[in-house]
Amino acid sequence: AVLGHEVGYCIRFDDCHDPKATRIKFLTDGMLVREMMRDPLLKKYSVIMLDEAHERTIHTDIAIGLLKKIMKKREDLHLIISSATLDAELFKSFFETNTTRDSSKDTAVIMSIEGRAYDVDIYYVKGPVPNYLTATVDTVLAIHRDQSEGDVLAFLTGQEEV
């Protein structure tokens, strides 16, 4: 797939998608709320997936509330909420529209997908560092140089650092 054609993205100051060709579009939660302001029923979309929903932000909370309203008006819209640590029952009850006791009429379901667990080594610095970005790069390079083959995941604070 060509980035910006079949698969695109939209973040605060960078929109890389083709309105006619893009089939999968990645958005931040803030950009999703902006989409909702432009298109209150999200008519261009057939599926919305909120990933890492446990990372609650004001935009995520607004999006969840608006999606509940949209779902009442658009039976054709599918909503997937994913999280490794979310209280799934709470979200199921929030989005459930079945008011009967007949579970065959439920409109919200919980699906659990087991993931693989990998051994993870966590490293911390012993004290404050003058430049956390330089210290991160130095640490990753040292791990690659001194440790056996494997992957490294480093958490940084924002897009500029990455």
Side-chain angles (χ1 to χ4, degrees):
V2 176
L3 182 60
H5 195 260
E6 294 92 359
V7 178
Y9 66 89
C10 185
I11 58 176
R12 191 169 181 191
F13 296 114
D14 190 7
D15 188 348
C16 180
H17 84 283
D18 181 334
K20 292 181 179 165
T22 299
R23 307 284 296 151
I24 298 173
K25 184 176 173 185
F26 291 88
L27 303 167
T28 61
D29 53 357
M31 294 309 296
L32 177 59
V33 171
R34 280 192 182 179
E35 286 274 330
M36 292 172 166
M37 292 190 310
R38 280 188 230 120
D39 180 11
L41 293 178
L42 296 174
K43 292 178 184 174
K44 295 184 284 188
Y45 301 95
S46 59
V47 177
I48 303 290
M49 180 173 182
L50 290 177
D51 192 18
E52 303 294 341
H54 63 275
E55 293 182 9
R56 304 275 303 274
T57 68
I58 188 70
H59 290 121
T60 303
D61 287 352
I62 290 170
I64 288 169
L66 292 174
L67 283 166
K68 181 175 180 169
K69 288 184 174 188
I70 294 168
M71 297 293 290
K72 288 179 181 178
K73 295 181 179 184
R74 285 204 48 208
E75 290 182 11
D76 63 318
L77 181 64
H78 299 281
L79 177 61
I80 302 166
I81 299 177
S82 65
S83 169
T85 60
L86 184 76
D87 181 351
E89 285 294 337
L90 179 68
F91 273 79
K92 180 184 185 295
S93 65
F94 181 75
F95 283 101
E96 182 59 66
T97 59
N98 178 12
T99 57
T100 73
R101 293 178 187 238
D102 183 356
S103 62
S104 70
K105 296 181 180 178
D106 283 357
T107 58
V109 297
I110 297 172
M111 293 178 62
S112 294
I113 301 170
E114 293 300 319
R116 284 189 177 173
Y118 294 97
D119 290 335
V120 175
D121 296 320
I122 300 174
Y123 296 91
Y124 297 96
V125 294
K126 292 180 180 163
V129 295
N131 182 323
Y132 75 92
L133 188 56
T134 301
T136 301
V137 171
D138 291 345
T139 302
V140 168
L141 292 173
I143 290 169
H144 274 296
R145 183 182 60 244
D146 301 335
Q147 300 292 321
S148 60
E149 188 174 320
D151 297 318
V152 176
L153 177 61
F155 290 93
L156 299 171
T157 60
Q159 182 180 354
E160 286 182 26
E161 289 87 351
V162 173

